[in-house]
Amino acid sequence: DTAYNVVREEGGSIPMTVEAPPAPPEGVVRIGLAGGVAKPSSGYAFEWIQRHAAAITQALLRGEVPQPWKRSTWMDALFVDVLRRHPEDGPGFFRAIFEGNDADRIARFMTETATRRDLLGIMRSLPASPFLRAARRRAMTGL
């Protein structure tokens, strides 16, 4: 006795990587996920895609060549490193972030507008040891 019918189901996956997407052909600026606009640690992309589209539009209106999206990746790289090594802990990490921080801080973190205080709050909500090991690994390999 449902009040709805499922007409179609969709699915997909968002790549969680800090690696830059392949270089596009000359004169092409990739957008959206193909342009590397998703936040590697969470897959969040909506606001970034909007900002990148606006930047492309403004560049074109000025007669300039639109630039690819640039993002900060340090914390994302640590998070992705830890998730690759401990995928079973991923749900707990996300739960810790969402339970240990208020919605405004999480929104700023997802949209790359976080303050240092926000970033420290996010870090404090996570277990230290796997992230410290990842930071040490990255420091030792020069990444």
Side-chain angles (χ1 to χ4, degrees):
D1 290 342
T2 60
Y4 62 89
N5 292 321
V6 176
V7 177
R8 182 177 75 173
E9 292 185 21
E10 292 185 21
S13 62
I14 297 173
M16 294 179 80
T17 181
V18 292
E19 296 174 21
E26 182 72 31
V28 172
V29 174
R30 291 196 171 119
I31 61 172
L33 295 178
V37 184
K39 185 169 182 61
S41 61
S42 67
Y44 183 81
F46 182 76
E47 185 174 331
W48 290 14
I49 289 171
Q50 304 304 310
R51 283 196 256 163
H52 190 213
I56 289 169
T57 300
Q58 291 304 311
L60 291 172
L61 290 172
R62 290 189 306 267
E64 299 171 0
V65 175
Q67 298 300 306
W69 183 255
K70 298 216 184 325
R71 64 175 187 249
S72 171
T73 59
W74 182 79
M75 279 189 69
D76 287 313
L78 287 181
F79 199 82
V80 169
D81 182 333
V82 172
L83 285 176
R84 281 190 183 135
R85 292 171 188 277
H86 306 283
E88 69 283 357
D89 294 331
F93 294 151
F94 284 106
R95 188 172 23 266
I97 290 171
F98 282 88
E99 289 176 353
N101 296 279
D102 65 33
D104 290 337
R105 175 177 285 160
I106 292 168
R108 288 188 298 269
F109 176 66
M110 294 295 187
T111 59
E112 293 290 312
T113 59
T115 64
R116 285 189 178 131
R117 183 181 208 144
D118 292 330
L119 295 176
L120 287 172
I122 297 288
M123 286 189 265
R124 265 186 290 211
S125 66
L126 292 164
S129 61
F131 292 91
L132 290 173
R133 284 193 300 270
R136 188 176 69 205
R137 251 189 323 275
R138 295 185 65 74
M140 292 175 67
T141 59
L143 295 175

